[in-house]
Amino acid sequence: MPFTPIEPSDILRRVPVFSALTEQQFELVRSRIIERHFDAGELVFAEGENCSGLYVVKSGSVRIFKNSPGGREQVLSIDGPGSSVAELPVFDGGNYPASAQAVTEATMLFYSKQDFHALCMQYPEVGLKVLAVVGARLRRLVGIIEELSFTTVRHRLAALLARLARTEGKKTAQGIEFTLPSTNQDIAAQIGTVRELVSRNMSRFQSEGLLRIEGRTVIIPDLKKLLEELKDGE
């Protein structure tokens, strides 16, 4: 897949790693960015591959996941426009610790490892930004471990739906409405279970009046009532 230069894009300004750069520093980064296009389902990179550089999601969405030796998949995150991917291996020189795959047709902005190292050497404050971003990701991973270890599938699904309602939802006369960004299989991989249990718990939530599903659209009539599920699961 060929690399092609892109025009300057404001999407880079939304990336925490680059957000504090001066205009001169930002121009240096922008001049070295390369654009890549991926079809839905196409791998951006695979776990264990040599890290070639940092990616930024320009459009579409990308899921970060790991596979167990037995073939079980765990989704670590689904990232949209403005998210950076693979800061850690670019920073520490290791291989990609997880795989990245386009969920939808996606456009990624690529910044090579060599260019990133040169930027950090010239502007040490960029390295501090990377540490902050990696620290935030570590906290999120600790949260995933806690959820998988200490909570039920029902609790984890309710937490995911509540998070989507707060970040993606819009208020309507019927409640908070949002579109599921992935299939039940993908949701299962996110919360560490199987598709059948996701479908079963979704049906139970509907029968209990906690939500309604119309195709891929979810309507939560009373978010506070759904959040009570999280308290009950503690």
Side-chain angles (χ1 to χ4, degrees):
M1 181 178 301
F3 287 104
T4 55
I6 63 166
E7 294 298 321
S9 172
D10 288 340
I11 198 74
L12 290 173
R13 287 292 191 190
R14 295 166 54 182
V15 181
V17 171
F18 302 132
S19 61
L21 296 180
T22 66
E23 191 60 35
Q24 180 182 3
Q25 294 165 352
F26 183 73
E27 286 298 327
L28 176 63
V29 171
R30 191 163 54 178
S31 68
R32 308 294 289 183
I33 287 289
I34 301 168
E35 187 174 275
R36 296 190 71 179
H37 302 280
F38 296 88
D39 294 328
E42 187 176 357
L43 274 179
V44 179
F45 53 78
E47 179 179 351
E49 284 183 359
N50 290 330
C51 175
S52 56
L54 173 78
Y55 287 88
V56 172
V57 183
K58 180 182 178 184
S59 65
S61 59
V62 174
R63 67 190 188 112
I64 312 301
F65 66 96
K66 290 181 71 71
N67 283 319
S68 72
R72 183 76 174 267
E73 182 181 288
Q74 175 65 52
V75 175
L76 304 177
S77 67
I78 295 180
D79 297 324
S83 298
S84 55
V85 179
E87 304 93 349
L88 178 59
V90 167
F91 199 60
D92 72 3
N95 296 335
Y96 290 118
S99 300
Q101 182 184 42
V103 177
T104 62
E105 184 177 347
T107 300
M108 307 285 285
L109 307 180
F110 175 80
Y111 193 58
S112 77
K113 180 171 65 176
Q114 292 78 10
D115 286 336
F116 189 79
H117 285 174
L119 183 71
C120 289
M121 291 292 290
Q122 190 170 0
Y123 305 109
E125 61 270 27
V126 175
L128 294 176
K129 272 285 186 179
V130 173
L131 290 176
V133 170
V134 171
R137 289 189 185 276
L138 178 59
R139 288 181 182 276
R140 186 167 65 185
L141 290 176
V142 169
I144 290 174
I145 292 170
E146 289 178 344
E147 282 195 346
L148 293 177
S149 301
F150 305 124
T151 62
T152 64
V153 170
R154 179 183 174 92
H155 179 280
R156 298 198 295 272
L157 181 58
L160 175 64
L161 293 171
R163 189 159 56 243
L164 289 171
R166 285 186 291 231
T167 59
E168 309 291 337
K170 62 179 180 180
K171 290 184 178 180
T172 69
Q174 299 178 351
I176 299 178
E177 179 180 312
F178 61 90
T179 301
L180 286 173
S182 49
T183 64
N184 281 1
Q185 181 64 50
D186 291 330
I187 291 173
Q190 280 186 265
I191 64 174
T193 187
V194 294
R195 179 179 56 80
E196 291 77 10
L197 286 180
V198 170
S199 299
R200 190 180 307 166
N201 279 280
M202 284 285 204
S203 296
R204 286 176 178 170
F205 285 156
Q206 288 192 84
S207 65
E208 294 166 10
L210 293 174
L211 56 82
R212 294 203 310 278
I213 299 177
E214 300 173 0
R216 290 173 60 87
T217 299
V218 175
I219 300 170
I220 299 178
D222 187 344
L223 182 57
K224 289 183 179 179
K225 190 175 179 181
L226 181 64
L227 291 175
E228 288 296 320
E229 290 295 317
L230 306 186
K231 295 180 181 179
D232 293 339
E234 291 177 347

